[in-house]
Amino acid sequence: MTLNKHHCCSTFIFLLLTLLSQFYSVESELQLNYYAESCPSAEEIIKQQVIKLYSKHGNTAVSWVRNLFHDCMVKSCDASLLLRRVKGMESEQESDRSFGMRNFKYINTIKEAVEKECPMTVSCADIVALSARDGIVMLEGPRIEMRSGRKDSKQSYLTEVQNTIPNHNDTIDLVLARFQSIGIDTPGTVALLGAHSVGRVHCVNLVHRLYPTVDPTLDPEHAEYLKRRCPTPDPDPKAVLYSRNDLETPMILDNMYYKNLLKHKGLLMVDQQLTSHPLTSPLVEKMAADNGYFHDQFARAVLLLSENNPLNEDQGEIRKDCRYVNLV
């Protein structure tokens, strides 16, 4: 009987160690300077392309940050977000959660520059991650030491998007649970929402707080400003109708977002709820008071997000064109 107990225990431990080794083997494939030998200039090419595109189209830096969030929250950081609709495959870009996303074409601009130097070497998933890292720097956010070595998915996950990407009017409890499911804690989640410090919100996602009556949690003067930006309760989704998240430093990734929340100037319901939830309210106050703390938590959370469930060699590929899986 004792021998059987020892045998069962040993078998369980062996199976557990096997599962853990498989998990960490994928994680360990991500490395700093992953392309040091196969494509030494890869990260510099991506960085220079991000800078060049930012000088022409400043909003690209914001797009790169949002791309990372939308790609990595759904299954894996695997560039599934970039896949276009083709016969037999839908696109994650078609989800209503992807409303307002743009500049996908410029990811392929970066990919083409890398392909010219190192054909079929650098994954689109790494371009998504590294362009976000460099975009954050362009927005005066923290410099993040990010590992690479991700592989590209061979399929899209449109049906998974609704269950993984939080919506703008979800409860904070649901948002916290979604991020917790990929290993990001409450301070990290509050910091990631600080990405709303940059960019803009389309009136489609605002008007329910303005019409028919103004949300009482919204500052009345700011509500009047928003009504001028969004003059009707049924805005055209295709029209350029929006408000900046932050009117004072709209293209700087800073803690002004949290200061605005404390003044009841959060644009989205999910933003303003941060000030009333017992787990998040103290963090809003702390980040509002300390930009360095916000940047530290943001960098930590972005790193965790960027390493969510990476694919290994057998599971993924290196796409030649980020929009389509490779032809066999």
Side-chain angles (χ1 to χ4, degrees), residues 6-25:
H6 283 306
H7 176 72
C8 290
C9 184
S10 298
T11 302
F12 173 76
I13 292 172
F14 174 77
L15 290 172
L16 181 61
L17 289 173
T18 300
L19 288 170
L20 286 172
S21 67
Q22 289 175 348
F23 172 77
Y24 284 111
S25 67

Side-chain angles (χ1 to χ4, degrees), residues 168-186:
H168 63 89
N169 56 2
D170 281 338
T171 66
I172 284 298
D173 286 321
L174 178 58
V175 173
L176 292 175
R178 292 276 170 88
F179 281 100
Q180 184 64 51
S181 71
I182 64 167
I184 297 177
D185 59 15
T186 300

Side-chain angles (χ1 to χ4, degrees), residues 16-262:
L16 181 61
L17 289 173
T18 300
L19 288 170
L20 286 172
S21 67
Q22 289 175 348
F23 172 77
Y24 284 111
S25 67
V26 177
E27 290 288 311
S28 66
E29 288 181 12
L30 298 184
Q31 302 170 17
L32 291 173
N33 302 312
Y34 178 85
Y35 297 107
E37 294 184 8
S38 61
C39 187
S41 57
E43 293 198 23
E44 184 61 25
I45 292 172
I46 293 169
K47 176 183 174 182
Q48 291 305 318
Q49 286 293 316
V50 166
I51 293 171
K52 183 178 179 180
L53 286 164
Y54 182 76
S55 67
K56 293 181 178 179
H57 316 281
N59 57 36
T60 52
V62 180
S63 295
W64 307 153
V65 179
R66 192 176 178 191
N67 283 353
L68 183 75
F69 167 66
H70 279 256
D71 188 45
C72 293
M73 285 294 291
V74 182
K75 289 279 191 180
S76 167
C77 293
D78 57 9
S80 60
L81 170 69
L82 303 180
L83 291 170
R84 294 279 189 87
R85 171 182 280 273
V86 294
K87 187 176 181 180
M89 185 183 297
E90 296 176 308
S91 173
E92 293 170 27
Q93 297 174 29
E94 298 169 8
S95 169
D96 61 5
R97 295 290 198 275
S98 301
F99 176 72
M101 295 189 75
R102 50 190 172 154
N103 294 321
F104 290 117
K105 63 183 178 182
Y106 296 127
I107 284 286
N108 240 47
T109 300
I110 300 173
K111 174 65 168 172
E112 288 166 3
V114 175
E115 283 292 304
K116 187 175 180 180
E117 181 72 18
C118 308
M120 298 298 289
T121 303
V122 179
S123 69
C124 298
D126 276 341
I127 290 174
V128 168
L130 296 174
S131 63
R133 177 194 69 181
D134 297 332
I136 289 167
V137 173
M138 299 306 296
L139 296 168
E140 300 184 35
R143 170 73 181 180
I144 303 168
E145 291 299 319
M146 194 174 282
R147 300 192 294 172
S148 47
R150 300 162 188 80
K151 301 300 180 288
D152 299 327
S153 71
K154 299 176 184 178
Q155 57 184 311
S156 177
Y157 303 103
L158 176 61
T159 57
E160 299 287 334
V161 175
Q162 298 288 108
N163 298 323
T164 51
I165 302 290
N167 202 10
H168 63 89
N169 56 2
D170 281 338
T171 66
I172 284 298
D173 286 321
L174 178 58
V175 173
L176 292 175
R178 292 276 170 88
F179 281 100
Q180 184 64 51
S181 71
I182 64 167
I184 297 177
D185 59 15
T186 300
T189 300
V190 175
L192 285 178
L193 285 171
H196 290 171
S197 171
V198 293
R200 61 192 190 180
V201 174
H202 196 286
C203 290
V204 165
N205 292 332
L206 285 178
V207 290
H208 64 288
R209 298 192 69 199
L210 302 173
Y211 304 101
T213 58
V214 173
D215 184 335
T217 65
L218 191 59
D219 174 76
E221 287 188 16
H222 197 54
E224 288 305 311
Y225 164 77
L226 294 176
K227 279 188 171 184
R228 291 194 296 273
R229 299 294 302 176
C230 307
T232 65
D234 54 349
D236 180 355
K238 296 180 180 179
V240 184
L241 295 168
Y242 65 87
S243 174
R244 292 284 182 188
N245 284 313
D246 173 6
L247 299 181
E248 295 185 47
T249 56
M251 292 299 288
I252 297 177
L253 187 63
D254 60 12
N255 65 340
M256 189 60 70
Y257 166 77
Y258 305 99
K259 294 178 181 179
N260 285 333
L261 292 186
L262 294 176

